[in-house]
């Protein structure tokens, strides 16, 4: 059974730099691309960043240069370092993986950017 557990969210001031973590189990983590998505009320879930098994990364334009995705295969954990946060970054952040064609999601962690 695939399990993804996010952590690291909370209330952050504008300009803050939290790091989100996603601990994975039930998959051969090192071979799977991993993804961070986010969602705000009334909007569709949108991809924020991805990291391939070889470490190659991709980012959506609105986080490029501010967020960094990384992975620790020994710990089966993917991270999202968030810098220079803006109020528009307020969202619930989800970890995603796909195994054998099936999408798996964590329950998410909420980041609220507010003074």
């Amino acid at each position: 059974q695939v399990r993804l557990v996010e952590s690291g969210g909370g209330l952050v001031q504008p300009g803050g730099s939290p790091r989100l973590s996603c601990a994975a189990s039930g998959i051969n983590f090192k071979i799977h691309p991993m993804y961070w998505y986010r969602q705000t009320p009334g909007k569709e879930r949108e991809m924020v960043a991805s990291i391939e098994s070889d470490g190659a990364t991709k980012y959506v334009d609105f986080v490029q240069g501010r967020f960094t995705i990384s992975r620790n295969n020994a710990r089966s954990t993917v991270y999202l370092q968030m810098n220079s946060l803006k109020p528009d970054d307020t969202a619930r952040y989800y970890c995603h993986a796909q195994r054998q064609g099936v999408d798996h999601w964590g329950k998410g962690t909420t980041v609220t950017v507010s003074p």
Side-chain angles (χ1 to χ4, degrees):
Q1 180 180 357
V2 178
R3 189 166 182 236
L4 303 173
V5 181
E6 302 93 336
S7 61
L11 178 62
V12 182
Q13 291 192 341
S17 300
R19 187 178 78 160
L20 306 184
S21 300
C22 170
S25 59
I27 61 172
N28 187 359
F29 180 85
K30 64 182 179 182
I31 70 170
H32 287 281
M34 298 295 297
Y35 305 84
W36 282 101
Y37 281 72
R38 72 184 188 185
Q39 189 171 24
T40 55
K43 294 188 177 180
E44 292 189 358
R45 197 169 294 186
E46 58 185 357
M47 196 185 80
V48 173
S50 65
I51 185 165
E52 298 293 331
S53 57
D54 64 359
T57 58
K58 291 184 179 178
Y59 300 91
V60 68
D61 285 347
F62 53 78
V63 306
Q64 182 77 42
R66 299 190 298 125
F67 292 7
T68 302
I69 189 171
S70 61
R71 63 191 298 157
N72 184 324
N73 289 338
R75 296 185 175 184
S76 296
T77 301
V78 60
Y79 304 97
L80 187 67
Q81 177 65 51
M82 311 166 71
N83 297 324
S84 303
L85 282 182
K86 308 173 183 179
D88 285 350
D89 295 315
T90 295
R92 191 157 181 88
Y93 287 76
Y94 296 89
C95 182
H96 171 258
Q98 193 177 71
R99 176 176 175 265
Q100 297 178 340
V102 177
D103 289 318
H104 298 277
W105 298 90
K107 293 182 179 180
T109 185
T110 298
V111 176
T112 303
V113 185
S114 179

